Amino acid sequence: MIKVFQQTDKDFSSNGDIVLRPQKAKVTKKDNGDYYLLLEAGIEYVDYFAEGNIVVANTPTGDQAFRIGNVTKGKRKISSKCYHVFYDSKNYLIASASVSGSCADVLATLNNATEPQSEYTTASDVSGSNTYECERISFYESIKEVLEMYGGHLVRDNFYIGIKNTIGTDNGIVVQYRKNLKDISVAENWNGVVTKLLPTGKDDIMLNALDPSADVYVESQTQYDLPYVKTASFS
């Protein structure tokens, strides 16, 4: 079921302003990456495709809210790439913040330091302690930096933001070709492959700094017919 709500609605338990009968509704969600709904419907719904309106769609993690934006109108249909309301965090500014502690402590402090006051709730079960400082960045940017610092998986559940050690549950379901799997594809990405590396440190120091006879390269045990030699700085 696809339901449309007003821009400022937070309670999605009703049917909203209208229940859409879309021509296309596809949710894309990547771990720690994009989360959006591609929505396409007949032109008769044009009045409901207002910029900023909220579309609530059923997903594997329950009903989730997506924000209508950049609407495309045709003669017979209307479409939008609706991003999850998590991305509203781009519109909240943190003038400055400095906090030490767990991931949960850092998220809570940042959540309370936004302008205007954030409407999100946050939580984390990631262990460890760090110090995080930021100045004049969006809440969204700070979350991405915290995620990189502590690790884990970003959980986006309407206006709840979490960073968890693990996500998903084992429901005992087996995915099997020709049973409940219609198709499968594999995409290879060799952009980050390195079989021989020339590392440098601070002030361009190299591995032979203490022993001129030492090799300046680090070589992988795995090699291919084509060379993959690169350099990287570890300052």
Side-chain angles (χ1 to χ4, degrees):
M1 182 183 293
I2 308 292
K3 303 179 290 185
V4 180
F5 292 83
Q6 295 295 311
Q7 296 180 1
T8 57
D9 286 344
K10 297 294 186 296
D11 181 2
F12 307 125
S13 59
S14 70
N15 284 338
D17 294 345
I18 193 173
V19 175
L20 289 181
R21 295 184 178 273
Q23 298 175 359
K24 179 180 180 180
K26 182 180 180 181
V27 173
T28 296
K29 181 180 182 182
K30 298 179 181 179
D31 186 23
N32 296 344
D34 287 345
Y35 195 4
Y36 58 85
L37 165 69
L38 290 179
L39 185 63
E40 186 178 289
I43 196 64
E44 65 269 20
Y45 295 111
V46 64
D47 292 339
Y48 297 97
F49 272 63
E51 182 77 20
N53 272 2
I54 292 176
V55 176
V56 174
N58 184 258
T59 75
T61 55
D63 285 350
Q64 294 295 323
F66 300 84
R67 188 78 67 179
I68 292 176
N70 299 324
V71 177
T72 300
K73 301 176 184 177
K75 289 184 178 180
R76 298 181 180 179
K77 64 182 181 181
I78 187 167
S79 61
S80 172
K81 188 175 184 178
C82 313
Y83 278 90
H84 193 274
V85 291
F86 160 76
Y87 293 96
D88 288 357
S89 59
K90 292 182 176 182
N91 300 322
Y92 292 85
L93 181 69
I94 299 175
S96 65
S98 178
V99 56
S100 296
S102 67
C103 186
D105 295 334
V106 173
L107 282 179
T109 299
L110 295 173
N111 194 40
N112 290 325
T114 64
E115 177 61 37
Q117 180 59 55
S118 166
E119 298 186 32
Y120 294 97
T121 58
T122 62
S124 176
D125 63 0
V126 176
S127 60
S129 180
N130 275 298
T131 297
Y132 176 76
E133 297 179 351
C134 65
E135 189 173 77
R136 293 189 295 275
I137 67 173
S138 70
F139 187 29
Y140 169 84
E141 291 173 312
S142 71
I143 293 169
K144 301 296 280 187
E145 290 180 353
V146 171
L147 183 64
E148 183 176 349
M149 176 183 291
Y150 285 89
H153 302 273
L154 183 61
V155 178
R156 294 159 286 189
D157 186 0
N158 293 319
F159 290 95
Y160 165 89
I161 299 171
I163 297 180
K164 301 293 185 180
N165 273 313
T166 59
I167 55 176
T169 57
D170 184 356
N171 295 316
I173 298 175
V174 176
V175 179
Q176 184 175 339
Y177 189 59
R178 292 183 179 177
K179 178 182 178 183
N180 50 15
L181 179 64
K182 295 181 179 180
D183 192 15
I184 189 170
S185 62
V186 176
E188 292 188 354
N189 187 334
W190 286 64
N191 293 339
V193 173
V194 180
T195 57
K196 194 171 185 179
L197 180 70
L198 176 63
T200 60
K202 186 178 181 180
D203 299 326
D204 290 329
I205 190 171
M206 301 177 72
L207 293 178
N208 65 348
L210 299 179
D211 181 3
S213 64
D215 196 344
V216 296
Y217 288 94
V218 177
E219 193 166 353
S220 171
Q221 292 181 351
T222 302
Q223 295 292 322
Y224 303 99
D225 292 337
L226 295 177
Y228 294 91
V229 184
K230 296 182 181 180
T231 184
S233 175
F234 302 91
S235 59

